[in-house]
Amino acid sequence: MNELISIRNLLIRRNQRDVLGVDSLDIQRGETLAVVGPNGAGKSTLLLALAHLLKPASGEVKYGGRHIHEWNDLEYRRKIAFVFQDPLLMDLSVEDNVALGLKFRGVEKKESHLRAEKWMKAMGVDSLAKRRAGQLSGGEAQRVSLARAFVLDPELLLMDEPFSAVDPQTRGQLMNDLSELLAQEHRTTIFVTHNLKEAAQMGSRMAVVISGRVKQVGTPQQIKENPVDNSVRDFLREL
């Protein structure tokens, strides 16, 4: 087995309330796992737990074979990159936004420029390198946000509904470009969405989260053909 992440009997609590339970979930190196479920089901909570931004009430999360609490916080966070629903760009040029994380890590200016150039090109925003963030469309801003994540060369990429704030036409093109890139890169990615078509296109496997529980994990086809219970069956009707 080539697991990057292993989760057992995980419980996350917020405000004295159980918000997420995961009995067992293994994520392989290089796979894209789409996490699907209704709004408020606990999908983003899973990402925050894996980013070590929420501490488990109980259970076990291992990353690279080590318990997550054994990692130094800075060392661990340097292995991951997080892409949010909203791009959250600084009032800087596109290139400076893409290279911002490298600057914080003390990467030499010339290398930083080359890496930013590579990922701006990969995300189709190289022609906008000198444009200010405030002049970008929603789709352009999200492409910059993705380039900013990839430039850090993360071992684990966490994406929380990255297409929800862009229009349908832009979303389709962005999804195509990103799914191609992930196929080439073989970068371990966890992609949260409530859109089943996005999940089926982006993910090699799906994890279905309903009412704060990871109910079922498998390929989209496996889950569609053999839903584990009525709650999963009802959710999958649109797939």
Side-chain angles (χ1 to χ4, degrees):
M1 299 296 283
N2 192 21
E3 293 158 5
L4 179 64
I5 296 167
S6 177
I7 300 172
R8 296 291 181 274
N9 302 314
L10 179 69
L11 176 64
I12 304 290
R13 307 196 82 203
R14 300 181 85 170
N15 302 320
Q16 286 77 54
R17 192 170 63 87
D18 295 356
V19 291
L20 180 69
V22 185
D23 294 335
S24 176
L25 176 62
D26 295 318
I27 299 163
Q28 308 300 313
R29 290 182 187 272
E31 83 162 311
T32 297
L33 177 72
V35 180
V36 299
N39 288 330
K43 305 183 297 297
S44 298
T45 299
L46 177 60
L47 288 194
L48 293 171
L50 291 175
H52 212 193
L53 296 171
L54 285 178
K55 303 296 189 283
S58 59
E60 172 184 283
V61 180
K62 286 184 178 179
Y63 184 95
R66 288 166 62 189
H67 286 275
I68 203 167
H69 59 258
E70 293 174 2
W71 286 89
N72 170 278
D73 276 355
L74 181 60
E75 180 190 9
Y76 181 74
R77 287 192 179 129
R78 285 194 165 194
K79 291 185 172 292
I80 67 177
F82 211 127
V83 179
F84 297 92
Q85 291 182 33
D86 297 313
L88 305 174
L89 301 181
M90 303 291 284
D91 183 23
L92 302 166
S93 71
V94 164
E95 181 174 350
D96 287 346
N97 266 288
V98 172
L100 197 59
L102 299 177
K103 183 179 180 181
F104 290 149
R105 293 184 183 186
V107 175
E108 191 264 328
K109 206 167 186 179
K110 185 178 179 183
E111 184 191 344
S112 179
H113 173 72
L114 290 173
R115 284 169 65 175
E117 208 169 41
K118 172 189 172 182
W119 287 106
M120 286 189 297
K121 190 170 185 179
M123 290 311 306
V125 291
D126 48 319
S127 64
L128 307 175
K130 302 305 177 190
R131 189 173 294 183
R132 305 290 288 192
Q135 299 173 309
L136 302 175
S137 70
E140 290 166 346
Q142 197 58 287
R143 285 177 180 274
V144 173
S145 181
L146 288 161
R148 184 177 57 184
F150 276 105
V151 80
L152 297 173
D153 195 26
E155 193 171 43
L156 174 64
L157 184 60
L158 303 173
M159 296 196 289
D160 190 2
E161 305 228 25
F163 308 135
S164 64
V166 297
D167 63 86
Q169 186 176 346
T170 304
R171 184 186 299 138
Q173 188 58 56
L174 194 49
M175 275 179 57
N176 290 340
D177 292 348
L178 185 58
S179 57
E180 280 181 25
L181 187 58
L182 291 174
Q184 293 164 14
E185 284 280 305
H186 301 294
R187 196 177 302 271
T188 312
T189 302
I190 303 177
F191 173 85
V192 161
T193 180
H194 63 272
N195 185 310
L196 284 164
K197 291 184 175 65
E198 283 184 6
Q201 178 175 341
M202 297 291 297
S204 39
R205 289 192 305 152
M206 287 196 326
V208 183
V209 184
I210 295 174
S211 301
R213 303 292 306 181
V214 174
K215 289 290 190 89
Q216 190 169 2
V217 182
T219 67
Q221 193 66 25
Q222 286 169 342
I223 294 175
K224 184 181 179 182
E225 291 175 359
N226 296 291
V228 71
D229 64 17
N230 287 335
S231 68
V232 175
R233 183 177 292 108
D234 291 344
F235 177 68
L236 293 177
R237 288 192 195 282
E238 61 182 276
L239 186 60

